[in-house]
Amino acid sequence: MEENKSVLPERLLEEKKPAKVKKQPKEPKEPKPAKEQKAPVAKKEKASNDVPIPTDSNSMFKEGFLKAVYAERPSKHVITRFPPEPNGYLHIGHSKAIAINFGFARYYGGDCYLRYDDTNPEKEEEKYFIAILEMIQWLGFKPYKITYSSDNFQKLYDLAEDLIKRDGAYVCHCSDTEVKKQRGEGKGLERYSCSHRDRPTEESLAEFRAMRDGKYKPREAVLRMKQDMQDGNPQMWDLTAYRILEAEHHRLGDKWRIYPTYDYTHCLCDSFEDITHSLCTTEFQLSRVSYEWLCDAVKVYKPMQREYGRLNVTGTVLSKRKIAKLVEEKIVRGWDDPRLYTLVALRRRGVPPGAILAFVNELGVSTANTNIQLSRFEQVVRRYLEQTVPRLMLVLDPIPVIIENLADDYVEEIELPFSPKDPAMGNHVVPFTKTVYIDRSDFREVDSKDYFRLAPGKAVGLLKVPFPIKATKFDKDESTGLVTTVYATYEKPEEGTAFKKPKTYIQWVASSPKHNSPIKAEVRIFSSLFKSENPDAAEGGFMADLNSHSEEIYPNAMIETGLNEVRARAPWPEKEGEKAVKDEKTDAPSSEAHTAETAATNSASTTRPETVRFQGLRVAYFAMDTDSADDKIVLNRIVSLKEDSGKA
């Protein structure tokens, strides 16, 4: 076949000469002392959620694999694409593909298409179209255009007829078993050609049209590409280009009975959209040969395909089939259950999109597949949250402490910073009163030398309260064995007398009807859904590896009143797709505006509950759950604190 080098799109012809690397956008340098960059220090009311993240989000494009990919084909105008199949929810592995394709184009000042590969109407649903676009926008990317493989069905069909006329394809009536034998049964046995391979082109053309017009039922006929059965690459063993599917297409109804395969569609749609760099995972490395073969065979512009290693996380399952089983058997609440690693689940759990991008960027990009433990992912999330969210006091399992030497109407307003490390987040005030709530784990009935929290006769500090409290006695419910009330004294020294600083300070929430304190909540503490690093390898399969303690619920938790301001100022942080996007609109095909775009844009324009994130001091990082209502707050644990175990 003649090499097709002369059919570059007109706007890309000038790129055949080596182009200078266009470093756009440039990595920010140390800020110069420009006037507009010096924010007035005194304006406390302008506390900001848009805190800086000391991470170079472009580092994966500046070095290594992706830098080499660009150098291989420098382009004045880079065009990439993200081409998901709309038959399921995206998972954490897809975040790498999104970051690479959209990020590569953005770094070089180009464009990235979102192209739905909607060539299998039997598995495609509207909810997946919506969810895919939502996740792209949530991660902070905006498609240059939203397109569909089905936009090109007529063009693809015309090229298929052209391929037949060029003696590059034929209609085959072999069964799946026969085709497998022709390909050596996957065991390296002798390969041989289909008996229909040498039928006249006119006959294949007539049979292909008969497939289109309803003569055959599914599996009775397919169009196969006439490649090279003796090639060592399985992707050259006469792949299927078209098959019959008796299913209504979500956009085109029953217009078509034959549908192009991924192997036929993908490279041609890349060509139609002038893609410069077709970036995909290494599972498609062998497909590069057939990708280029088909572009040459029908004499169209040939994009450059290059492959990177996919991202896998251990300790969970990402398979659509397996997650569907968990959902169907009500092991999880749905595809967005915070214990799963779909992107909708990570969003609901409260993981910020910037943390996911930081994770992908930190791992880097190469041709090697990456298998990462969940703890590594959570480590990045924790580090990201440490710098970007405010801190509040939260008590999971509260017991009241009555401070007997304070007056019944005693109220002292305590000023607390939202972050001791970032004054820009501002301060807030909480009440300190005669009755405060502490966590049950912070009180012991019997003291010991190695215990430094509250116990009878022992003093402990309350965070930011000037003086400690000392427990004197407690009440207990004999039927349950649980402490119901602790009594204490406020250890305020006489004037001019120094007090002994306590060894430990604990979080607390005061009872103050005047301040509507405390705020009550249900808190869900999530742990790994599975017990092992490889659930699929467990005896009995992944369903036998379920962790029965993957969720613990605290129905009576209490939070300090600073939560009201945190909610009002959400999102935390105001970055990526959680910025205000109400005025933005993604270009859609002019012929029709797909409802997925409208639904996803409406979702992105709303401040969602999970953007209300904070660190519960001494407890964990939390976010509001979508189950929250006007009369009920539900919190999810995003990740634990570094110091969450072994506290004194």
Side-chain angles (χ1 to χ4, degrees), residues 473-535:
K473 58 183 179 178
F474 59 90
D475 294 335
K476 190 173 181 179
D477 184 337
E478 297 302 332
S479 64
T480 62
L482 295 176
V483 172
T484 56
T485 307
V486 175
Y487 299 89
T489 57
Y490 189 41
E491 298 296 286
K492 182 177 181 180
E494 294 182 7
E495 190 171 344
T497 305
F499 79 99
K500 185 179 179 181
K501 185 176 180 180
K503 292 186 177 181
T504 298
Y505 285 81
I506 61 175
Q507 78 274 23
W508 54 278
V509 180
S511 173
S512 177
K514 175 184 175 182
H515 296 83
N516 293 318
S517 177
I519 297 172
K520 297 181 180 180
E522 174 185 304
V523 174
R524 300 168 182 172
I525 303 293
F526 297 109
S527 302
S528 177
L529 187 59
F530 299 96
K531 293 182 286 188
S532 72
E533 280 294 298
N534 188 358

Side-chain angles (χ1 to χ4, degrees), residues 159-265:
L159 280 177
E161 284 205 357
D162 182 61
L163 186 62
I164 294 170
K165 293 173 184 177
R166 294 174 182 272
D167 197 27
Y170 61 96
V171 172
C172 169
H173 301 279
C174 296
S175 67
D176 292 344
T177 301
E178 290 172 320
V179 171
K180 189 175 181 180
K181 288 181 178 179
Q182 294 164 17
R183 293 172 174 168
E185 297 188 12
K187 299 177 181 178
L189 301 178
E190 183 180 357
R191 297 187 297 277
Y192 57 92
S193 298
C194 165
S195 59
H196 308 101
R197 196 176 201 267
D198 295 325
R199 69 196 317 173
T201 56
E202 295 80 4
E203 186 178 316
S204 276
L205 187 60
E207 288 290 88
F208 184 49
R209 291 170 178 170
M211 286 172 58
R212 177 198 63 189
D213 296 337
K215 178 180 178 180
Y216 297 109
K217 293 181 179 180
R219 297 183 179 275
E220 289 184 349
V222 297
L223 181 70
R224 292 175 67 181
M225 293 178 273
K226 192 179 288 188
Q227 295 169 299
D228 185 355
M229 291 295 294
Q230 300 311 310
D231 193 295
N233 185 342
Q235 289 300 112
M236 289 297 288
W237 297 347
D238 289 13
L239 300 178
T240 299
Y242 270 86
R243 77 283 201 208
I244 300 166
L245 296 174
E246 292 181 339
E248 190 166 296
H249 193 271
H250 71 105
R251 298 177 71 223
L252 305 176
D254 58 1
K255 180 178 180 180
W256 294 91
R257 292 188 72 255
I258 56 173
Y259 289 91
T261 62
Y262 175 89
D263 290 310
Y264 178 80
T265 306

Side-chain angles (χ1 to χ4, degrees), residues 400-437:
V401 177
I402 298 175
I403 306 171
E404 294 185 289
N405 61 337
L406 291 182
D408 290 345
D409 60 353
Y410 181 85
V411 177
E412 181 178 352
E413 293 192 333
I414 308 292
E415 187 173 36
L416 302 174
F418 278 120
S419 171
K421 297 181 179 179
D422 186 1
M425 286 193 187
N427 299 325
H428 64 292
V429 172
V430 298
F432 171 58
T433 63
K434 181 182 181 73
T435 300
V436 298
Y437 293 90

Side-chain angles (χ1 to χ4, degrees), residues 268-541:
L268 296 181
C269 285
D270 278 359
S271 179
F272 301 157
E273 292 176 352
D274 299 341
I275 302 303
T276 57
H277 300 80
S278 182
L279 307 174
C280 53
T281 53
T282 50
E283 63 193 284
F284 298 103
Q285 189 166 12
L286 294 178
S287 299
R288 190 199 300 180
V289 175
S290 58
Y291 180 108
E292 296 178 349
W293 176 90
L294 182 56
C295 288
D296 289 338
V298 294
K299 298 189 180 303
V300 296
Y301 158 65
K302 181 169 59 182
M304 183 182 82
Q305 175 179 304
R306 291 297 179 265
E307 309 82 17
Y308 56 87
R310 68 184 301 167
L311 169 61
N312 299 307
V313 290
T314 62
T316 189
V317 295
L318 300 177
S319 157
K320 289 192 283 279
R321 177 182 60 80
K322 292 171 184 173
I323 295 177
K325 185 174 180 64
L326 293 170
V327 173
E328 291 162 6
E329 298 197 12
K330 301 189 184 305
I331 304 297
V332 295
R333 292 178 175 82
W335 289 82
D336 65 346
D337 188 286
R339 291 165 290 182
L340 298 174
Y341 279 78
T342 57
L343 290 181
V344 289
L346 291 173
R347 179 178 67 174
R348 180 176 180 180
R349 178 170 145 191
V351 175
I356 295 176
L357 296 178
F359 173 63
V360 171
N361 192 59
E362 185 173 299
L363 294 177
V365 182
S366 69
T367 56
N369 288 337
T370 309
N371 294 298
I372 301 296
Q373 291 181 317
L374 296 181
S375 58
R376 171 82 180 275
F377 172 68
E378 292 188 347
Q379 185 181 50
V380 175
V381 175
R382 185 180 296 112
R383 192 167 63 237
Y384 187 92
L385 291 168
E386 168 70 19
Q387 303 167 61
T388 58
V389 302
R391 301 183 185 190
L392 299 174
M393 292 190 291
L394 173 146
V395 176
L396 289 177
D397 188 6
I399 54 174
V401 177
I402 298 175
I403 306 171
E404 294 185 289
N405 61 337
L406 291 182
D408 290 345
D409 60 353
Y410 181 85
V411 177
E412 181 178 352
E413 293 192 333
I414 308 292
E415 187 173 36
L416 302 174
F418 278 120
S419 171
K421 297 181 179 179
D422 186 1
M425 286 193 187
N427 299 325
H428 64 292
V429 172
V430 298
F432 171 58
T433 63
K434 181 182 181 73
T435 300
V436 298
Y437 293 90
I438 67 169
D439 199 272
R440 188 173 299 279
S441 65
D442 285 330
F443 177 77
R444 275 190 188 176
E445 299 174 38
V446 180
D447 191 16
S448 63
K449 290 183 178 180
D450 59 349
Y451 182 73
F452 303 112
R453 286 169 280 166
L454 198 61
K458 176 166 282 186
V460 71
L462 300 178
L463 287 168
K464 296 299 180 178
V465 174
F467 305 105
I469 60 171
K470 179 188 286 186
T472 57
K473 58 183 179 178
F474 59 90
D475 294 335
K476 190 173 181 179
D477 184 337
E478 297 302 332
S479 64
T480 62
L482 295 176
V483 172
T484 56
T485 307
V486 175
Y487 299 89
T489 57
Y490 189 41
E491 298 296 286
K492 182 177 181 180
E494 294 182 7
E495 190 171 344
T497 305
F499 79 99
K500 185 179 179 181
K501 185 176 180 180
K503 292 186 177 181
T504 298
Y505 285 81
I506 61 175
Q507 78 274 23
W508 54 278
V509 180
S511 173
S512 177
K514 175 184 175 182
H515 296 83
N516 293 318
S517 177
I519 297 172
K520 297 181 180 180
E522 174 185 304
V523 174
R524 300 168 182 172
I525 303 293
F526 297 109
S527 302
S528 177
L529 187 59
F530 299 96
K531 293 182 286 188
S532 72
E533 280 294 298
N534 188 358
D536 291 329
E539 185 176 351

Side-chain angles (χ1 to χ4, degrees), residues 78-84 94 96-106 110-117 136 142-149 262 265-281 284 287 291 301 303-308:
V78 166
I79 306 176
T80 60
R81 82 290 169 272
F82 176 61
H94 292 109
K96 182 175 182 178
I98 293 170
I100 287 175
N101 281 285
F102 282 93
F104 187 85
R106 184 164 68 184
D111 297 307
C112 182
Y113 285 85
L114 166 60
R115 182 201 311 143
Y116 293 110
D117 185 27
I136 292 169
K142 180 182 177 183
Y144 164 60
K145 286 184 179 178
I146 298 172
T147 60
Y148 304 80
S149 293
Y262 175 89
T265 306
H266 184 66
C267 62
L268 296 181
C269 285
D270 278 359
S271 179
F272 301 157
E273 292 176 352
D274 299 341
I275 302 303
T276 57
H277 300 80
S278 182
L279 307 174
C280 53
T281 53
F284 298 103
S287 299
Y291 180 108
Y301 158 65
M304 183 182 82
Q305 175 179 304
R306 291 297 179 265
E307 309 82 17
Y308 56 87

